[in-house]
Amino acid sequence: MLAEQQSPAPVRPRPNPHDLTIVLARTHAGTVVLPQVPRKVPPPAAPSPVEDQAPVRRITVWTRSALFAVPATATFALGWKGIGQRQMWNDEYATQHAATLSWGELSHLLDHLDRVLTLYYVLMHFWVSLAGDSPTALRLPSVIAMAAAAGFTALVGQRLLDGYAGLIGGLIFALLPVTTRYAQEARPYAFAVAAAALSTLLLLRALDRPVWRLWLSYALCVGLTAGFHLIAVLVVAPHAVLTWFCYQKRDRDVRLWKSIGALALVLAIAMPLAYAGSGQAAAIEWIKADQAAIIQLPEQLFGSYPTAAALAVMGFLAVLVLPFARRRRVAAALLVWAILPPVFTYVTFPVLHAFLYRYLLFTLPAWALLAAGGIYGIDRLLSRRSWAQVLIAVSALPTLIMLTLPGQLMVRERLVPNEPDYPAAVKTIRAGLKPGDGIAFAGAVRPPRMGMAYEMRGEAARPVDVFLTQTAAQVGGYGARECPRAQACVGNRPRIWLVSTSYSSDPWSEMPAERADTLSRLFKVAESHHFQRLHVYLLVRKAAT
């Protein structure tokens, strides 16, 4: 009996929970052991199309490079053609002046003016020391920056829509007359456009992979955007829209909270710039936001009214058709990018005085992508074949070229409208210059001293600046300081070339009253030459009586 009790219990097979009929095991105490029945896993639901849920389209490095290179090359070619033919104008003379100062003189200038342009002036200081200060050399960095902006626009379009739409958007951006105009200008606007487009591309990458490395890159790029032009930091508005939409789509993914840290870094960069520039706001008080400024904004922003009308129609079409192509959120973000900055600068004009089309050039990538989005939406409604967009774009290309061609020709004219023709003045003075001649300047709106100094920088013989007492570098600005008593400065000088940007043809207008009285009493006008927005008078001393 003991042996029977010590004999091992028979081994029962373990119940299989998947069997329809199972034998319930019991413990030595008689308790039934219930098997663990697995929960039924519901079959996966059939994938349903969700708006704006298309995965990020992965493309090869070569495809991405080609997508960047095609519009960038087109923009560079259009910007390079005639880059040195158009005469420089007042703001470009300011760039050349700042870039050729010593570091101490540049610091002195920024203490008084253009502190918000510090980054651009520092970069141009290095560039001019390497490449020189000819018009071509001064403008080449802007051509490169605007070409990069076109490439970045195409890559943003590829991520928001697809590769074909990105390519079309980049090419539309390249064809805009205003793109060529500011690719050929030695000012920071092309850099601001490129930085705004690149920051948008980096944001889309960070939303795709929300890691700190990408968020930091994005924040630094937005900081560069603000550094090149403070108003361009408004590009964070469409970025916030894109981030919120992505947060909603991903079931409130907490990793996207890293965008708050990136925004904090952007504010840490932009706010000191805004504070630094607030003390120099008097420099832009000439900007207006009246009815004329509103009417001229489309022509100035896009290069011509026909181009503006075409982009407005295509943008409106995109807003209508993109929701049907499941890109409603893309349309909303691009619309905020394109519309919010001009509305914001207009509403805040009494405080900021920033309603100026040049300050809004960073919205051009959004307008180009909206136009491409219209083509993309039509294609999705009609054929659903991505490559069909190219056929639509190619068929519309001749119309677009015809609309933009007058603007392209206009921006290549030798003279900037309503700007003084300094080369003509220099040519006139060079032809009649004699030893001992002096030169004087008049004009309140466009003081001609800085422009004439640039255009005469290579002259072996130059007339003496009669009334100059302190140079612009010494003053810390763009205008020099002149002697208060004209007769003491004139001395016995027999001839003076008077260069005036006055609207009046009176040689004594727009100069201090004491100087006008002295010059009119001692000199007579022997010659007068009139050019666009500029007058040159040869003053010869009257015979003693």
Side-chain angles (χ1 to χ4, degrees):
M1 183 176 181
L2 182 60
E4 290 179 1
Q5 292 177 350
Q6 293 179 348
S7 61
V11 179
R12 295 191 179 111
R14 299 181 63 182
N16 185 354
H18 297 285
D19 292 340
L20 295 177
T21 303
I22 60 174
V23 179
L24 298 179
R26 294 175 182 271
T27 65
H28 293 291
T31 306
V32 177
V33 178
L34 295 177
Q36 183 178 3
V37 181
R39 296 179 180 178
K40 282 190 175 182
V41 179
S48 59
V50 180
E51 181 182 354
D52 297 327
Q53 283 280 14
V56 176
R57 290 161 175 78
R58 305 291 182 183
I59 58 176
T60 64
V61 174
W62 291 108
T63 304
R64 189 181 301 112
S65 300
L67 187 58
F68 176 91
V70 172
T73 302
T75 304
F76 185 88
L78 289 171
W80 178 258
K81 183 175 175 55
I83 185 174
Q85 295 177 3
R86 195 185 78 248
Q87 179 201 328
M88 289 175 54
W89 71 289
N90 191 68
D91 284 10
E92 292 184 290
Y93 292 134
T95 295
Q96 186 271 344
H97 171 74
T100 53
L101 296 175
S102 67
W103 289 113
E105 292 170 339
L106 179 58
S107 176
H108 187 39
L109 169 68
L110 297 175
D111 284 340
H112 295 83
L113 290 170
D114 285 348
R115 194 174 295 151
V116 294
L117 300 182
T118 298
L119 176 61
Y120 177 70
Y121 284 162
V122 168
L123 291 177
M124 289 302 293
H125 187 282
F126 285 114
W127 173 256
V128 167
S129 65
L130 295 174
D133 64 348
S134 68
T136 299
L138 289 169
R139 291 166 175 166
L140 181 57
S142 294
V143 178
I144 297 172
M146 200 64 92
F152 294 142
T153 299
L155 293 177
V156 169
Q158 182 269 325
R159 282 188 167 264
L160 292 177
L161 300 168
D162 64 15
Y164 295 108
L167 178 62
I168 294 169
L171 290 175
I172 291 174
F173 177 87
L175 288 174
L176 296 179
V178 73
T179 299
T180 302
R181 169 69 176 82
Y182 285 94
Q184 295 184 345
E185 177 146 325
R187 293 301 279 171
Y189 306 115
F191 289 86
V193 177
L198 177 58
S199 65
T200 306
L201 178 63
L202 292 175
L203 172 75
L204 295 174
R205 291 190 60 192
L207 293 176
D208 182 33
R209 293 182 56 229
V211 296
W212 277 115
R213 173 176 56 85
L214 293 177
W215 282 114
L216 180 60
S217 300
Y218 160 72
L220 291 177
C221 190
V222 177
L224 281 177
T225 306
F228 285 121
H229 203 280
L230 190 57
I231 297 299
V233 80
L234 291 175
V235 76
V236 299
H239 293 177
V241 172
L242 288 170
T243 303
W244 174 251
F245 286 156
C246 184
Y247 183 65
Q248 292 282 324
K249 286 193 303 180
R250 296 191 183 180
D251 297 326
R252 302 179 183 273
D253 187 347
V254 295
R255 294 179 300 169
L256 297 179
W257 290 6
K258 296 175 182 178
S259 61
I260 300 176
L263 180 60
L265 181 56
V266 170
L267 291 176
I269 298 173
M271 292 305 293
L273 285 173
Y275 177 77
S278 62
Q280 301 175 348
I284 57 173
E285 286 184 350
W286 57 270
I287 299 175
K288 297 180 180 180
D290 53 12
Q291 183 179 2
I294 297 173
I295 294 174
Q296 293 171 0
L297 180 63
E299 179 188 22
Q300 294 173 332
L301 183 58
F302 300 108
S304 66
Y305 280 119
T307 305
L311 285 182
V313 170
M314 292 301 296
F316 180 72
L317 182 62
V319 173
L320 293 180
V321 300
L322 281 178
F324 295 99
R326 301 189 183 95
R327 290 296 183 272
R328 174 179 57 87
R329 292 168 174 172
V330 171
L334 291 177
L335 201 60
V336 169
W337 188 355
I339 298 297
L340 178 66
V343 172
F344 176 84
T345 53
Y346 179 76
V347 171
T348 60
F349 178 78
V351 178
L352 301 180
H353 284 84
F355 186 69
L356 186 65
Y357 77 97
R358 294 195 291 271
Y359 298 173
L360 303 172
L361 294 177
F362 70 96
T363 64
L364 292 178
W367 286 105
L369 290 176
L370 275 173
I375 298 175
Y376 173 90
I378 293 173
D379 170 63
R380 283 296 184 269
L381 291 177
L382 297 180
S383 70
R384 296 186 178 275
R385 297 174 181 268
S386 296
W387 55 265
Q389 300 174 71
V390 179
L391 298 180
I392 299 174
V394 169
S395 63
L397 187 62
T399 302
L400 183 60
I401 292 177
M402 288 180 61
L403 291 174
T404 58
L405 184 59
Q408 288 282 353
L409 295 176
M410 184 178 65
V411 301
R412 298 175 193 284
E413 293 180 356
R414 185 183 72 85
L415 293 177
V416 178
N418 203 37
E419 290 296 323
D421 188 358
Y422 293 122
V426 171
K427 183 178 180 180
T428 298
I429 294 174
R430 184 192 304 122
L433 187 64
K434 293 183 178 180
D437 281 359
I439 190 169
F441 305 99
V445 178
R446 283 282 190 265
R449 178 178 274 106
M450 187 168 58
M452 289 294 293
Y454 176 80
E455 298 298 340
M456 299 181 72
R457 71 194 187 284
E459 298 291 327
R462 299 173 59 177
V464 177
D465 195 335
V466 175
F467 298 111
L468 179 66
T469 58
Q470 280 187 302
T471 65
Q474 294 170 333
V475 172
Y478 298 117
R481 185 166 289 131
E482 299 181 332
C483 63
R485 309 301 297 177
Q487 186 162 356
C489 295
V490 168
N492 296 321
R493 197 168 300 278
R495 304 196 327 165
I496 296 177
W497 294 93
L498 176 61
V499 181
S500 174
T501 55
S502 170
Y503 284 102
S504 172
S505 57
D506 179 7
W508 321 118
S509 64
E510 295 189 26
M511 67 172 62
E514 187 271 340
R515 183 180 305 170
D517 179 70
T518 299
L519 292 178
S520 61
R521 179 168 47 84
L522 297 178
F523 293 87
K524 64 179 180 180
V525 177
E527 298 178 17
S528 61
H529 307 270
H530 305 281
F531 309 103
Q532 176 178 296
R533 194 68 172 78
L534 189 69
H535 312 283
V536 177
Y537 305 98
L538 175 59
L539 307 182
V540 178
R541 187 177 286 271
K542 296 177 181 179
T545 57

